[in-house]
Amino acid sequence: MRIFDPHIHMTSRTTDDYEAMYAAGVRAVVEPAFWLGQPRTGVSSYLDYFDAITGWERFRASQFGIRHHAAIALNPKEANDPRCREVMPELDRYLGRESVVAVGETGYDSMTPEEDEVLEAHLDLAIRHALPVVVHTPHRDKKHGTQRTLDVIANSGIAPEMVVLDHLNEVTVDLVAERGCWMGFSIYPDTKMDPGRMVAILQRLGTERMLVNSAADWGRSDPLLTAKTGRAMLEAGFADAEVDTVLWGNPVAFYGQSGRLDVSPLPGFELGGEAELFEGNSILRGAAAVPAEAPAGAGAN
């Protein structure tokens, strides 16, 4: 089983997670920009974060055979903070980086006028940069928030196939399916979706334009829930090819619209099957060796 996790926050995860993900079949990820768990106090902290997810995190993932890409945006939760809003003029230069395959995650948190403005600005950036968009649907009043999001998308002029609305559920998925956007589902403990419910949606609506992610972050989450969903699909009678469409083909097709996606095997790793996880990159179990191509400062305490 090969897996592309299209929405995961690896900056909050450990190297043990990367190793477990590779063993489970994960070969590529996209990391959308998100809230850090506490308020940022200015633009500089945002810029340091953007540099990390487009640079260091990409290298860190590569040590474990995983291709890492990023999406760049002002997170919806911070769109209401004037200290963070000042990052908007900086986004253009980050959206030009080779590892950036989308704008995101943008969307709504509390559905304020400030969030309206920021969502519209992000959609305009996506059009100008010819990039797909990852849209966060709100945790509260989700149906109304999803409908409002779809209306803003329609008014922006962006092609619906360039947009994925994420964190969908049984209440919101049909709204998105009707509009022609991609449908994203976060398989997440206690909230959002679980593998069984995801399988039921796939049985009803099919696999077209469906993206399944773990959305793993600082909270209680599981970066292996994509693999667990794939196994649940197989147990429910889905064919191997259908699982591959959902867990690999669909995210490749969506993010491939950026023209920057690279899911080729990293040197020393194989796309499918087992690989020598550490020897291929000069990192051995229990050793402190760091690959020669590591960024300056890598391996420092």
Side-chain angles (χ1 to χ4, degrees), residues 218-284:
W218 304 102
R220 182 172 178 266
S221 49
D222 183 353
L224 303 183
L225 277 172
T226 49
K228 294 172 184 176
T229 300
R231 290 197 292 272
M233 288 178 68
L234 292 172
E235 291 168 2
F238 282 91
D240 289 345
E242 292 173 304
V243 175
D244 190 67
T245 292
V246 172
L247 296 184
W248 186 263
N250 284 352
V252 168
F254 178 71
Y255 288 113
Q257 296 177 106
S258 69
R260 300 174 184 167
L261 187 67
D262 182 2
V263 292
S264 62
L266 284 151
F269 296 89
E270 299 296 332
L271 184 60
E274 296 299 322
E276 293 183 305
L277 181 55
F278 294 87
E279 293 180 356
N281 269 344
S282 302
I283 295 183
L284 306 177

Side-chain angles (χ1 to χ4, degrees), residues 284-298:
L284 306 177
R285 291 185 184 275
V290 176
E293 66 270 20

Side-chain angles (χ1 to χ4, degrees), residues 16 47 74 118 121 123 125 153 190 198 227 246 278 281:
D16 286 350
L47 301 185
L74 169 63
V118 170
L123 293 170
L125 282 167
I153 290 167
D190 302 328
M198 187 68 241
V246 172
F278 294 87
N281 269 344

